[in-house]
Amino acid sequence: MKRKKYMLNNIEKITERRKMAAEIIATVTNRLRSGWNPWADVSNSRQYSKFEDVIGIYTRYLQKLHANKTIKDSTFTDYRKRIRVLSEYNNNRTFPIIYIYQFDLSYMSDFLDYILLDRDASARTRNNYRVWLSSFCTWLTEKQYMDYNPVEKIKSLTEEEKKRCALTHTDLRRLKEYLEENNKYFLLICQMEYYTFIRPEELSNIRLRDINLKEQKVFIASSISKNRKDGMVGLNDVLIKTMLDLHIFDNDTNCYLFSTNFKPGYKKSTTRCFRNYFNKVRNALKFPDTYQFYSLKDSGIRDLANSEGIVIARDQARHTDISTTNKYLKGENMTVHEETKHFNGIL
């Protein structure tokens, strides 16, 4: 509670002074009941909206986007989780905020500290929450619940490198031999990741109709692509042979490429299934934890870049810039052009 004074001693007559005081009291009381705060610096009435109400509107907004396929299932699930964590944080505060204008820079900074310190999250997780907060504040600004995006003043933390590395050539051969004997359908999944660089979420949505066997290419529609753009990638001869050996194309073209037990079917598999089975294989082969399912993409980009050049690897990976492709090439895996070794310079 804070005291705010309205000085009326400039009014000479006591009766007029009391009349003015009564009017001020009535006006201020009504405004306070509607959520007004005499110390709040707001530019419109929307900023007096209740925090919980705005969260509810934002949640319904996301539900509509999800229903219209504007955002992916994973994005929708991720955003809902972050909203839930934010709501729990606010409810557990000694003095939770009530109005959206209280959702300011200091509050957001405290929330990110809560994620990092109280929830013992990594810098990467904290930064992911920061990205989501920025997206949320952009929506709030667009809807005039706030005047600007405060998250722009909050810096990202330096992150540790991802604990993921490409498989060595020896381990790739061991993986192939193991899966040829134990699960040829999952071998096809691993080969798809290694040769096509299709992201796991996209891979789970590929249908047989997306594959052009004659031209050896697969179409990734904008509706399932991460960057929301149509894409086309080449299918290696090894992939075509594996598919034919497994009679993949004997199935209906509307089937997903990977369904139950990683075989074609009408119910798509999930990226979690890919990861969980890969981890079982990793344990069986006593591979290090730094080997993850996505490591197959790292391995494929490394090997294609070293064999055919980084530009070809960039296009196959559907990267907009070579700098993105370079992130998959670490240390000894990075290419050096032979021409640089024998260039006759002036100096």
Side-chain angles (χ1 to χ4, degrees), residues 50-60 83 86-87 136:
K50 288 190 176 181
F51 180 70
E52 290 185 358
D53 292 343
V54 175
I55 289 293
I57 295 171
Y58 178 66
T59 301
R60 292 197 297 274
I83 293 170
L86 176 62
S87 296
F136 179 41

Side-chain angles (χ1 to χ4, degrees), residues 29-51:
T29 300
N30 288 331
R31 295 181 70 186
L32 286 171
R33 284 173 178 167
S34 66
W36 173 74
N37 184 329
W39 290 278
D41 182 19
V42 299
S43 58
N44 65 73
S45 59
R46 278 200 168 194
Q47 296 175 18
Y48 290 118
S49 301
K50 288 190 176 181
F51 180 70

